[in-house]
Amino acid sequence: MADSRLEMLKQIAAGMAAQFGSNCEVVVHDLTRSSIDSSIVHIENGHITGRSLGDGPSAAVLNAVKHQDGPLKDHLAYLIRTENGRVLKCSTIYINDDQGRPRYILSINYDITNLLALEGSIHSLTSCPQNEACSEAGNPPKKITHDVSELLDELIAESVELVGVPAALMTKEDKIRAIKFLNDAGAFLITKSGDKVAKYFGISKYTLYSYVEINK
């Protein structure tokens, strides 16, 4: 049973390394070996930490050996830093024997150093801290429309979202607020926009323009 479990872990390790590529180190530790100094019995992409078969334990392995009398909780998605400054996102999974004692450890160590650098570069390109409208979490980027009719539809939708009430349920004050938004956004510069807006809000063009005047 133990040997078959070890072979399965080796198979899983090889599969994970193939799936996630050369930045993913996968290590299998055998805690039953005569010397804890050589706990590694399988390793994929050992160049990440510079380890190889027969090398010694990490702090997680030593902790497992020290507490062999009881079950250990897996340690998932934590960060460590290598001696040469690389940052690894790691998970340590304990595989118990039939008595519930830790027998093997499957360690997954993914080098995210380059991803962190890329994340920083992308953030510097996409952030606009000097622009309040851009920095507000609830303010998504505007759409680029293909014609003025589509643009008007977008502005009407934004006015309804601003008020927070469907047009059919809007009070007079709600409609005045929506019309103010459209006027401030330049919606009425679009040819025949008044007809469309009046129809959408269920008011006459006379009422529409009276609302515009109220907001001036």
Side-chain angles (χ1 to χ4, degrees), residues 105-127:
I105 291 180
L106 179 66
S107 296
I108 307 161
N109 308 308
Y110 195 92
D111 187 344
I112 62 171
T113 308
N114 293 339
L115 293 177
L116 292 174
L118 180 60
E119 180 183 46
S121 297
I122 291 175
H123 179 71
S124 67
L125 289 172
T126 59
S127 64

Side-chain angles (χ1 to χ4, degrees), residues 30-82:
D30 185 349
L31 303 182
T32 66
R33 295 176 69 83
S34 57
S35 173
I36 193 62
D37 294 340
S38 57
S39 63
I40 296 179
V41 292
H42 186 84
I43 187 167
E44 301 281 346
N45 296 322
H47 63 275
I48 291 176
T49 59
R51 294 181 295 176
S52 58
L53 284 176
D55 277 353
S58 63
V61 173
L62 290 177
N63 183 63
V65 174
K66 185 177 179 180
H67 298 88
Q68 281 194 51
D69 291 336
L72 291 168
K73 186 177 180 180
D74 296 339
H75 192 190
L76 306 177
Y78 60 94
L79 299 181
I80 65 170
R81 190 179 298 273
T82 65

Side-chain angles (χ1 to χ4, degrees), residues 93-105:
I93 302 168
Y94 301 103
I95 312 299
N96 296 329
D97 60 19
D98 295 335
Q99 285 71 47
R101 295 171 300 188
R103 175 69 184 266
Y104 301 109
I105 291 180

